[in-house]
Structure formats: C-alpha cells, structure tokens
Amino acid sequence: MATLSLCLLLILVEACQADDTRPEQIHLAYTGTSSERIVNYVTQSTDEGLGTMVAYGTDPDRLSLKAIGDSFVYDIPLWHKDPEISAIYNVSKADPRQFSIHNVKLTGLQPNTKYYYKVGDVNQTMSDTFSFSTKENNIIYAVYGDMGYSNAVSLPQLVQEARDGHFQAVIHVGDLAYDFYQKDADTGDNFMNAIQPVATLVPYMALPGNHEHRFNFSHYKNRFSNMKLGPGATSGSDTSLWYSFNVGLIHFVAFDTEVFNYFSDVGQIQRQLNWLEADLAKANTNRDKRPWIVSLAHKSKSEEQKCNYLMIWIDFMDETNFTHISPLLHKYGVDIHFCGHSHNYQRHYPYYQDEVDRPDKKNVYVNPKFMTVIVAGSAGSKEKISHGLGPKRHLAKYIFDYGFGHLQVMNHTHLRWTWENTGVELASIEQDELWIVQDNHGMRSHA
C-alpha cells in the first residue's frame, strides 16, 4: 500500500501544468519571530510584471489580509557545465532554464491560530487554499535527513501525519532531492512539489548536505532563500547555510558541515565559527525561557559515524573538521545534536571526546553530562540504506531501515524522542524511544 501511495503521489507531481504563472513548490518556514512565517514558492514564468502576494486570514472564504513580497529570476546552472558531470554523462550542451522564486513574509500573526492562505498574483493565477497553525508550545517536530525524489520511502507517511496533525514542523538535516540539478533541474522541481503537501501545512526547515554542493550550493541557496530571509536575517547569519531560530522552549542552531569540504575558504569557515559561538553564548543568557538547545547539521564528528558504503563511496564524513565545533557545542551546553549522512538510524549515549556517560536505563538519560547524538539519515533516497555506525562504546541503538523521528519538548526538564520505521509494507512501528531529563541546563565546565 505504501509503495502504491508513493507511486500515485509521484505521478501527480510530474503532471504538467500548462499555466506557467501558477505557483508551485510552495513551502513555509519559521523566521525566528513567533508572530511571523515566510512563504517561498516558484513560478515557471519569468515575467517581471508578475506579482508576489499571499492572501490570508482566519476564514477560508474571506482571505482579507494581504502581504506583498519580492521575487527574482533564477538562472539554473546547466549541470553539463560541471566537468565532472559532463564526463560521466557525456553531455555537451543543453537549453538554459529559468524560473522565478518568490518570498513573502507574514507578520503580526496571532498565537495558537489557524490561518488559511493562497499565494500568487491575483491578476494572473492564484494557488489552491492551504492552511497553517501558529501553535508555539508542545510542538512535535518530524526530523530526518537524506530524502530524495526517487525512493522517498517515508514521504507518504510524512504527508499523512502532516494532514492528521501528528507533527507541527519538519527539520530536514541535509541531502534533499538527490539531486536538485539533475535532469536540467526537473528532479529539484519534482522533489519540491512532492514535499508541498507537507511544507504548505507546517514550516519546512532545511539545511545543506553534501548532495547540495553542486554549483556552490546554488540550488539549495535559491530554492530555500526563505532560510536566509527568515531565520538567517533574524539570527544575524545572513545566509541559508547556517542560522538559528527559537520556538517555544527550544533554541535551534543549524550549522553547515559542508563548508569544510566544498568551495571552502578559511574566511568562510571562521565566519561560521564566530557566528556559532556568538549565537550559543546569547542562547545561554536566555535559558530560563528556552532551556533546551538543539543543534542541527548534516554530519556529526567523523570518528563517531563512519559510513563506508561497502567501500564504493568516499566517506566525506572523515573530511568534516569538528576540531573547533565540538568544543563549542560542549562548552555551551547543547543538549542534543541531529544529523544524517549515514543512511540508517543511530542513537548514541551522551559522550565527549573519549568519555561516555552511560545511563542506568538505556532509554532514559538523567542529567547527562554530555551532548546526545542522533543519526536519522534514512528517510529514503535512490542510494537506499547503508551500513556504517559509530563506535560501539557509545552506540545505544542501531536500526537498518527507512524511517524518521519525532522530537517533542514536554517542559523545562523533559524531552522525548521517538523513531519509527517506514520501510515495511505495514503501518509504521515505533522502534526507538528516548527520554532526556535535564534539571541543570547551562554551560559545561568539563573540557
């Protein structure tokens, strides 16, 4: 049944739309300000006269509020111009493609309110009516990495849960579409349309992985330009590659592990490190209000998760330099780190350097001394599942299956994490659960 649902969804996504002014690839994001959301969408038309607007309100039959945004024409990098790709596919030329990317910020939203909205140009074509909620507390986040357009095993379950209200936001920790640039960027278009049933209902917070690196991360930075204009602007990073945002009792901080591997320069690496430390220091001055700090990145420390892909693929995890990042996450008391890259599920005991804080109960970490690492990189892609896991001395749980997790902060002291599989022809089954009980949020003195 899951396979049939996925096939039907992909067929619908690939259906051609005759009207190039019709909005598509619509997705929401947090900005870091609770009374705001930022909407991003695409039109295939590059007409400069095409308007960028969101009509919204609390009554689906009376969208009386209007917000005007900005748009720009994205000149898609021709994938055959990458010498490495040209050599593989023996492609010498292709027709250039362009489309328009639109961003609209909604401000003054009331808390705990359901809003209905349409996007587009009222004089041309408007989208269907969608809805979102401004719920701020007791939010459940769907967390995963490494989901593409092909073999997106978890997508039908994600769509169903979003519609049923089982989670209120998504965090996608890198590696999207597999890959945005392929088939003259049709793969990217199809992926963004495939996640639209989820991303129009809840904020879809994304960050870059190694699969976004082509053309200096151009597709990611443009298709998710709302990350830069929203949380990037609010957190002072002024980029979509790293940013932070607050929701309820959590301060989320997302950083870019790929800066060490692709198009890297010393200046950019140092800018991220400077921003990261300043952001974490500021977050620690506000832990009475937001006690939990959750870090997000595509990868974790190289020595903690080796993914050799049966010796076929190069392990770029080893090229990610955590020499300066790990001490910052430890010093400023980050509670839990989510990542992907390894196409499996791993939960680790709290650890730092060579020290492991083993709990009395395997699924309950009480006042852990160190940060917990969760690897959730098996939402589903054409690369399928891969073996590879961290050292057994701090590995608490390992699952070789497709799936995604749910994060929920219950209160100032209790956090709950669950992971369910989506890789079987049955209803999803919860296969892992973790409670973190932390009475002493704050900076750590242990070096």
Side-chain angles (χ1 to χ4, degrees):
M1 182 63 70
T3 302
L4 178 60
S5 299
L6 178 59
C7 291
L8 291 173
L9 180 61
L10 298 185
I11 289 171
L12 288 172
V13 167
E14 291 181 311
C16 294
Q17 293 180 326
D19 185 359
D20 66 359
T21 67
R22 183 172 181 81
E24 58 178 88
Q25 307 178 43
I26 307 164
H27 55 107
L28 295 164
Y30 290 121
T31 69
T33 300
S34 61
S35 61
E36 296 179 349
R37 297 291 186 272
I38 186 164
V39 186
N40 177 292
Y41 66 93
V42 162
T43 55
Q44 296 300 324
S45 171
T46 58
D47 182 357
E48 292 183 357
L50 192 64
T52 300
M53 184 192 72
V54 174
Y56 64 107
T58 56
D59 183 344
D61 298 320
R62 187 171 178 270
L63 304 180
S64 57
L65 301 173
K66 304 291 188 294
I68 305 299
D70 296 308
S71 67
F72 61 92
V73 174
Y74 178 40
D75 292 295
I76 298 173
L78 297 181
W79 60 274
H80 71 275
K81 287 185 177 180
D82 185 317
E84 181 181 343
I85 299 301
S86 295
I88 294 173
Y89 293 101
N90 192 28
V91 174
S92 60
K93 64 180 180 178
D95 294 330
R97 275 195 62 202
Q98 295 179 319
F99 56 72
S100 296
I101 296 178
H102 306 255
N103 286 285
V104 185
K105 183 182 289 187
L106 309 182
T107 61
L109 301 173
Q110 297 301 307
N112 301 311
T113 302
K114 186 173 184 177
Y115 285 91
Y116 299 87
Y117 69 104
K118 292 182 177 182
V119 307
D121 184 334
V122 70
N123 296 316
Q124 294 288 338
T125 308
M126 296 292 287
S127 70
D128 294 335
T129 300
F130 305 103
S131 66
F132 67 88
S133 170
T134 55
K135 182 179 180 181
E136 181 77 4
N137 294 307
N138 297 316
I139 290 176
I140 298 175
Y141 303 85
V143 183
Y144 53 87
D146 305 78
M147 187 174 78
Y149 173 61
S150 175
N151 195 41
V153 175
S154 298
L155 185 56
Q157 182 72 15
L158 286 163
V159 171
Q160 189 61 53
E161 288 196 14
R163 289 172 175 168
D164 292 343
H166 289 178
F167 58 80
Q168 291 76 47
V170 164
I171 296 172
H172 190 148
V173 288
D175 278 9
L176 303 89
Y178 282 76
D179 289 332
F180 280 124
Y181 69 89
Q182 290 191 343
K183 298 183 179 179
D184 287 335
D186 284 347
T187 298
D189 290 350
N190 290 336
F191 173 79
M192 296 302 295
N193 280 319
I195 65 170
Q196 181 175 287
V198 177
T200 50
L201 282 169
V202 302
Y204 200 100
M205 308 304 290
L207 52 144
N210 52 289
H211 275 269
E212 283 68 69
H213 84 275
R214 297 289 179 196
F215 313 105
N216 197 12
F217 299 88
S218 173
H219 275 279
Y220 167 78
K221 288 189 289 189
N222 285 280
R223 292 177 185 271
F224 284 93
S225 49
N226 55 343
M227 297 295 112
K228 175 181 178 179
L229 299 172
T234 304
S235 66
S237 73
D238 196 33
T239 179
S240 57
L241 299 176
W242 57 84
Y243 57 84
S244 68
F245 60 100
N246 298 318
V247 182
L249 298 175
I250 306 177
H251 177 74
F252 290 98
V253 56
F255 59 92
D256 180 14
T257 51
E258 309 316 301
V259 70
F260 299 97
N261 306 326
Y262 306 102
F263 307 98
S264 62
D265 67 76
V266 174
Q268 180 170 250
I269 290 171
Q270 193 59 51
R271 283 194 298 275
Q272 177 175 223
L273 290 173
N274 292 344
W275 172 86
L276 180 60
E277 180 158 26
D279 185 84
L280 290 172
K282 181 179 179 181
N284 269 275
T285 66
N286 200 30
R287 293 194 89 152
D288 287 345
K289 184 177 181 180
R290 291 190 174 88
W292 297 93
I293 298 181
V294 175
S295 65
L296 312 168
H298 184 55
K299 299 170 184 171
S300 184
K301 290 180 64 176
S302 60
E303 64 181 13
E304 267 62 65
Q305 43 172 311
K306 291 185 180 293
C307 179
N308 60 26
Y309 293 93
L310 303 179
M311 303 307 294
I312 296 173
W313 297 85
I314 296 173
D315 178 18
F316 285 113
M317 196 80 81
D318 284 339
E319 297 183 12
T320 299
N321 188 341
F322 270 74
T323 302
H324 300 293
I325 292 178
S326 288
L328 293 178
L329 302 183
H330 175 76
K331 174 183 176 181
Y332 290 101
V334 173
D335 295 287
I336 190 166
H337 175 74
F338 290 99
C339 61
H341 192 62
S342 291
H343 296 175
N344 52 53
Y345 172 73
Q346 302 172 44
R347 171 168 57 85
H348 293 262
Y349 292 123
Y351 67 89
Y352 181 63
Q353 296 178 347
D354 295 327
E355 190 172 351
V356 180
D357 185 10
R358 283 186 170 271
D360 293 331
K361 295 181 179 179
K362 189 174 182 179
N363 294 80
V364 182
Y365 301 169
V366 179
N367 293 323
K369 295 189 295 182
F370 311 124
M371 182 180 73
T372 299
V373 173
I374 301 288
V375 181
S378 60
S381 75
K382 64 183 181 182
E383 292 184 357
K384 301 183 179 179
I385 300 294
S386 67
H387 289 284
L389 61 156
K392 292 183 179 180
R393 61 188 173 85
H394 54 65
L395 183 65
K397 186 78 171 184
Y398 172 73
I399 301 174
F400 185 73
D401 199 358
Y402 295 102
F404 62 94
H406 296 87
L407 169 69
Q408 184 177 19
V409 163
M410 314 302 290
N411 51 42
H412 278 65
T413 58
H414 287 67
L415 175 152
R416 182 173 185 253
W417 163 258
T418 60
W419 189 90
E420 63 187 54
N421 72 299
T422 55
V424 295
E425 296 294 323
L426 299 169
S428 60
I429 302 170
E430 183 180 296
Q431 292 196 350
D432 192 31
E433 180 180 23
L434 170 68
W435 284 87
I436 297 179
V437 181
Q438 182 57 267
D439 300 307
N440 307 304
H441 294 284
M443 296 180 66
R444 300 185 181 103
S445 58
H446 184 279

